[in-house]
Amino acid sequence: MIGDVPGPSGAHVPVLKLGDVLLVTLQGELHDHAAEQLQQDIGEAITRSHVTGVVIDVSGVAIVDSFLGRVFAEIAATAGLLAARTVVAGMRPAVALTLVELGLTLPGLRTALDTDHALGLLAEPTSHLPHASGRRESL
């Protein structure tokens, strides 16, 4: 394990290293301070461990507000600058609808139905990694 980030009720969000990928699994509500700390910790973990991908599993998250949506986009942007790709996995339909209603497009952030699919996307060559919209684009 790379580190822990304070989560709801003092719990911690584990940041695990699986090969060349960081896996972050969110459960329940993530408060603003914990989300900002997670963003910082992921950037530091990428630098320290030289990973090439980050998977953020949000299957345990029922609500994503505009702040958390922006944090996801900022994590992806930071990871991209550090030569790592980010995939958000397990987004519930209600969460996706909320993000659309808030007008958050989350540029640079890829999505996958589950963690296995996210790991598969990260294993693909970068020129063939599809965006959430289904377009193919070089990175």
Side-chain angles (χ1 to χ4, degrees):
M1 180 164 37
I2 297 293
D4 283 338
V5 177
S9 306
H12 291 277
V13 177
V15 178
L16 306 172
K17 185 175 185 273
L18 300 172
D20 61 349
V21 174
L22 294 179
L23 175 61
V24 180
T25 302
L26 303 179
Q27 296 293 320
E29 186 179 349
L30 189 65
H31 299 288
D32 291 356
H33 176 70
E36 289 173 335
Q37 187 64 51
L38 177 65
Q39 180 180 358
Q40 181 179 338
D41 288 352
I42 288 174
E44 291 172 3
I46 292 169
T47 303
R48 240 186 356 263
S49 57
H50 305 288
V51 297
T52 59
V54 178
V55 174
I56 303 172
D57 181 357
V58 297
S59 59
V61 176
I63 299 171
V64 173
D65 61 10
S66 60
F67 179 79
L68 189 54
R70 283 193 303 273
V71 167
F72 290 159
E74 290 171 8
I75 288 171
T78 301
L81 290 172
L82 297 171
R85 297 175 290 163
T86 303
V87 179
V88 172
M91 188 177 300
R92 296 178 184 196
V95 170
L97 287 172
T98 300
L99 293 175
V100 169
E101 288 171 357
L102 292 171
L104 295 174
T105 57
L106 307 178
L109 193 64
R110 275 91 176 155
T111 59
L113 294 175
D114 56 35
T115 302
D116 286 339
H117 188 227
L119 293 170
L121 287 174
L122 290 173
E124 292 179 5
T126 57
S127 62
H128 295 99
L129 187 66
H131 285 269
S133 65
R135 294 181 301 148
R136 291 176 182 249
E137 209 172 291
S138 296
L139 295 180

